[in-house]
Amino acid sequence: MLKRATTILAGLVLLASASCAFVDQKVDLSYERTVNARGGSGEVFIAKPKEQHSLVKKSNSWVIGTVKNTMGMKTADVVTENNIGDWIVGALVQELSFAGYNTRTVSELPSDASKGIDLTVLKVFVDQDPGFWTVGAISDIQFTVEIWKNGIKAKVLNIAAKGDERSMAGTAETKGISLRKAMQAAMQQAVPEIIKTLEY
């Protein structure tokens, strides 16, 4: 009886995976504050990242990952209609505002800004990790943070962070959670260093 139930469950998982494997999955990029850092003061400008050639456009969306079948072969793309630069800036705004800064987003840093952050997006990608019982979503986020003080570049941070989430099927929701976890890990790296560089 247990063997039959196991076989049925495995079949349902395979069927669910196969039924949606050839359709692009649309992910909404979200963020929830996680760092809880303090010590910021004054005004900090955050420049919106310029679009990077490493990011692939598909219609009105950005390709940010892969959908795979149970054999591990790519069958579709993971896409988002969200602006990736705005997503990263939004995460920084949440964290730095909580830390005590008056944040201002701009298209380019003012040359006389006493405190500023310039971002370059290198990679945002979520890969589907096929499994027998659960399907994983492994995210990889990479970007650089240039920290400016009084018009001088004070430090450059190379941020690389990963996120992982698993579920019974490789859904868009699972991939969205994985990407959010990766961004939270990225902010845990970046925010304390930004505060340390700007304030000390």
Side-chain angles (χ1 to χ4, degrees):
M1 193 68 165
L2 179 59
K3 184 177 179 181
R4 179 178 294 180
T6 301
T7 302
I8 292 171
L9 179 59
L12 289 173
V13 170
L14 290 172
L15 181 61
S17 298
S19 64
C20 60
F22 296 98
V23 178
D24 284 352
Q25 292 182 346
K26 187 170 74 172
V27 171
D28 289 323
L29 301 177
S30 64
Y31 186 75
E32 294 175 6
R33 183 177 55 78
T34 187
V35 181
N36 294 329
R38 291 290 192 178
S41 64
E43 188 173 59
V44 60
F45 291 87
I46 305 174
K48 180 179 176 179
K50 298 179 176 57
E51 293 183 359
Q52 300 300 302
H53 296 297
S54 60
L55 302 177
V56 179
K57 201 87 185 276
K58 185 176 185 179
S59 186
N60 294 322
S61 303
W62 294 99
V63 177
I64 58 168
T66 55
V67 179
K68 296 179 179 178
N69 61 19
T70 54
M71 302 299 291
M73 298 175 61
K74 177 185 171 182
T75 57
D77 292 315
V78 180
V79 299
T80 185
E81 294 180 355
N82 301 121
N83 184 291
I84 293 171
D86 288 348
W87 180 45
I88 298 174
V89 169
L92 273 175
V93 166
Q94 284 192 48
E95 297 292 358
L96 293 178
S97 296
F98 182 83
Y101 289 105
N102 176 22
T103 58
R104 289 186 59 185
T105 57
V106 292
S107 57
E108 292 185 7
L109 289 182
S111 59
D112 60 347
S114 60
K115 298 176 182 180
I117 296 169
D118 211 350
L119 301 166
T120 301
V121 181
L122 302 176
K123 184 177 183 181
V124 174
F125 200 81
V126 57
D127 198 15
Q128 188 162 309
D129 174 33
F132 187 75
W133 292 111
T134 60
V135 180
I138 301 172
S139 297
D140 184 4
I141 294 176
Q142 299 176 29
F143 57 90
T144 60
V145 181
E146 293 182 359
I147 306 172
W148 292 75
K149 291 179 69 174
N150 300 316
I152 299 173
K153 188 189 300 183
K155 193 170 188 177
V156 178
L157 306 176
N158 295 305
I159 305 298
K162 293 189 180 293
D164 192 357
E165 180 71 11
R166 304 193 73 84
S167 62
M168 292 301 293
T171 64
E173 181 181 5
T174 301
K175 293 177 176 68
I177 294 171
S178 175
L179 285 160
R180 184 169 68 241
K181 286 182 175 181
M183 184 60 75
Q184 289 174 326
M187 290 297 114
Q188 287 169 352
Q189 293 178 41
V191 171
E193 285 298 318
I194 290 172
I195 297 171
K196 180 180 177 181
T197 303
L198 290 176
E199 303 302 324
Y200 304 104

